[in-house]
Amino acid sequence: MSRIPVLTTVGEVRKTVGEWRCSGRTIGFVPTMGALHPGHLSLVSLALEHADRVIVSIYVNPAQFGPDEDYESYPRTFRDDIDKLEKVGANAVFLPEKDTIYPEGFSTSVHVCNLTDTLCGKYRPGHFDGVATVCAVFFGIVQPDIAVFGKKDAQQLAVIKRMVLDQRFAIKIIGADIYRERDGLAMSSRNRYLRPIERMQATALFRGLSRAAELACKGERDAGILCEVARQVIEKSPLAVIQYLEIVDQDTMKSVEKLDGPGLLAVSAYFGKTRLIDNIVLDPDASYKED
Ligand code: AMP
């Protein structure tokens, strides 16, 4: 039996969060789609550093999946997730039914302009509308002081920051560093789809990104050259099929041709049927250290 409260209705969340707030606690929120791995749990730990009480949602949001994407087959491991959240010290889990978030008659869609046209937005039409809409709903229900999002989904983080700014939500958005496997692969709920050979070759993503970051630290500022170097390293893995590889501004997601400050090198690639994303910040002003 789990001791962490598992809340399923809006009323239960409001009551629990309301009690915390009445006793003077600050509230942290971590939205997830479950199938939790240590990367997710690092977000919860970070939230606990910034808030007195932390609530984590587990909700596979239908609105952010395209018609040919993996909504139906997305891993659902709720029991296991709740145990992990209890161990890491989260104070409550919000596990809503599909209709609790999108009740009959739900008619709102949040569209964040401009920064959703590039990178993943280009290949997943409507994805960020689904993300922004569900986050706006969650923010309205939970009304947290802070919310933590992973830098692995850098475009998502930028979209949420922009939405919060534009809508004047009184929430501080905190970005958590990318949590990686020992061999560099960014942790993802979708890594479990990879066949062993694909899993091995997927490490090329971080190798490619790191090579570009090294060159940037040594002074290379030409985005075309940096992307080409990363591409060559990644494509040494024959199973890698790159969808995009681009350097963008971290806040606007606009393409950058020359680095005159930190830029985000972002990549999406297929390994077999599995689409992975990763990114690294290139900082030409950071000093490069040989190991
Ligand atoms: P998801 O369950 O995939 O929607 O992810 C929930 C949150 O966890 C998002 O803010 C993700 O960016 C974040 N996240 C997922 N994987 C990682 C990772 N490897 N490192 C850091 N954050 C992550």
Side-chain angles (χ1 to χ4, degrees), residues 30-34 36-37 39-40 42-43 64 74 148-153 156 176-180 186-189:
V30 181
T32 80
M33 296 205 299
L36 301 182
H37 52 65
H40 292 114
S42 74
L43 268 57
Q64 70 187 70
Y74 197 83
V148 180
F149 289 81
K151 292 182 188 169
K152 175 173 170 285
D153 298 272
Q156 168 172 284
D177 287 341
I178 301 178
Y179 203 92
R180 298 180 180 281
M187 289 196 182
S188 163
S189 306

Side-chain angles (χ1 to χ4, degrees), residues 111-122 127-129 132 154-166 244 248-255 264:
H111 178 68
V112 178
C113 303
N114 304 324
L115 66 176
T116 52
D117 299 340
T118 52
L119 307 181
C120 291
K122 196 159 146 191
H127 169 71
F128 288 113
D129 293 357
Q155 192 170 17
Q156 168 172 284
L157 176 61
V159 165
I160 298 301
K161 279 186 174 166
R162 188 71 245 178
M163 177 185 78
V164 163
L165 201 65
D166 292 348
Y244 66 71
V248 296
D249 176 273
Q250 289 183 84
D251 299 320
T252 63
M253 297 286 122
K254 281 213 167 63
S255 200
L264 185 84

